[in-house]
Amino acid sequence: MKLVWSPETASKAYIDTVKSCSNFNESSVAEVVSAMAAGWNARVVVETWSHGGAVAISIGLAVAAHHTGGRHICIVPDEESRSEYVEAMRKLGHPADVIVGRPEEAMQGLEGVDLAVVDGRRNDFGCLLRAARLGQRGAVLICKNAAAADFRWRSVLDGKSRIVKSVFLPVGDGLDIAHIGSAGGGRSRWIKHVDRRSGDEFLIRK
C-alpha cells in the first residue's frame, strides 16, 4: 500500500478551506496544505504551533481531516499555547486535538503519521521530523516559511527515509514539500516497452 492521490478530494478540501479562511488576510498557504493533506488521503496529520501563531493552516488541516475521516493533531509547547489554540479553533467551529510537550517527544508517541507540517523558522523542526514515526504507506512532509530555512531534506532526515521527490512552492514565505516512499518500496526500476504499431521503444520507470 502507498499514498494515492485523489484530485477530487483535494479540490473539495481546497474550496472548503477558501470558505473557512475568508476572514484571514493571508496567502493561499492554508488552501494548498489542506489540498495536499486531503488529496493524499492523510489519516494522521500533525503540526506544531505556539503562542501568538496564526491558525489558518490549522483550519485547512482540520478541513482536510474532515474529508479523509482522519485525525488532525497539533503539538504545542505549554498550557498557555494550548488554551489559546483551543479557543481560536473553537471560535472558528473546529474542535482541537492538542498534545502539550516537547515536539520530538510528543511525535514519538504517534504512529503512522501520513503528513506533518513544521515551521522553517524554528530551530528544532529537524528534530521533529526525525522523531516522526511515518506511516507504512509513505508520508508527505511540509516545511512552511521555508524561504527562511537553509536545509536539504536528506540532511534533515539523516538518510533514514527514502525521499521519492521534493519540491519548493513560492507560496507565502515558501513551502518545501518532500514525499517519502512507502515502507519496503525499494528502488524504482526501468522497464522497456515496445509499441507494436510503430516499433518505438519506451523506458517506463516503476
Side-chain angles (χ1 to χ4, degrees):
M1 292 284 293
K2 63 179 181 179
L3 294 177
V4 178
W5 177 254
S6 170
E8 180 180 358
T9 308
S11 178
K12 289 179 179 179
Y14 185 97
I15 292 172
D16 286 349
T17 302
V18 169
K19 296 176 181 177
S20 298
C21 295
S22 59
N23 293 328
F24 290 93
N25 296 319
E26 298 181 13
S27 62
S28 57
V29 173
E31 291 90 333
V32 172
V33 172
S34 179
M36 292 289 292
W40 287 112
N41 192 30
R43 306 307 297 272
V44 179
V45 177
V46 184
E47 66 165 329
T48 58
W49 192 87
S50 59
H51 171 69
V55 296
I57 289 179
S58 297
I59 296 300
L61 293 176
V63 169
H66 173 74
H67 281 281
T68 65
R71 182 186 178 193
H72 164 227
I73 305 148
C74 182
I75 299 173
V76 299
D78 49 48
E79 284 296 330
E80 180 185 14
S81 296
R82 186 197 68 78
S83 297
E84 182 181 338
Y85 181 83
V86 169
E87 180 62 16
M89 294 292 284
R90 185 192 66 79
K91 288 181 178 180
L92 294 168
H94 294 278
D97 189 347
V98 183
I99 297 176
V100 180
R102 290 174 57 84
E104 59 270 27
E105 294 176 357
M107 182 64 84
Q108 289 174 352
L110 299 171
E111 290 189 37
V113 174
D114 294 318
L115 184 140
V117 181
V118 297
D119 191 340
R121 293 179 299 192
R122 293 177 59 95
N123 294 328
D124 62 352
F125 78 89
C127 295
L128 173 63
L129 294 174
R130 286 190 293 273
R133 301 167 67 182
L134 305 180
Q136 294 294 309
R137 301 183 302 154
V140 177
L141 306 179
I142 301 176
C143 179
K144 64 181 181 181
N145 298 314
D150 183 16
F151 73 98
R152 294 181 181 276
W153 282 109
R154 295 190 186 281
S155 298
V156 169
L157 300 175
D158 284 344
K160 296 180 180 178
S161 300
R162 183 171 62 91
I163 301 173
V164 177
K165 63 180 177 180
S166 63
V167 62
F168 177 85
L169 300 179
V171 181
D173 289 326
L175 286 177
D176 212 324
I177 304 168
H179 294 256
I180 307 302
S182 58
R187 295 182 177 275
S188 59
R189 57 196 179 99
W190 293 93
I191 297 177
K192 183 170 71 173
H193 172 73
V194 179
D195 188 304
R196 293 182 178 180
R197 293 185 178 182
S198 66
D200 293 335
E201 293 186 357
F202 302 91
L203 288 176
I204 302 174
R205 192 174 189 177
K206 299 191 71 176

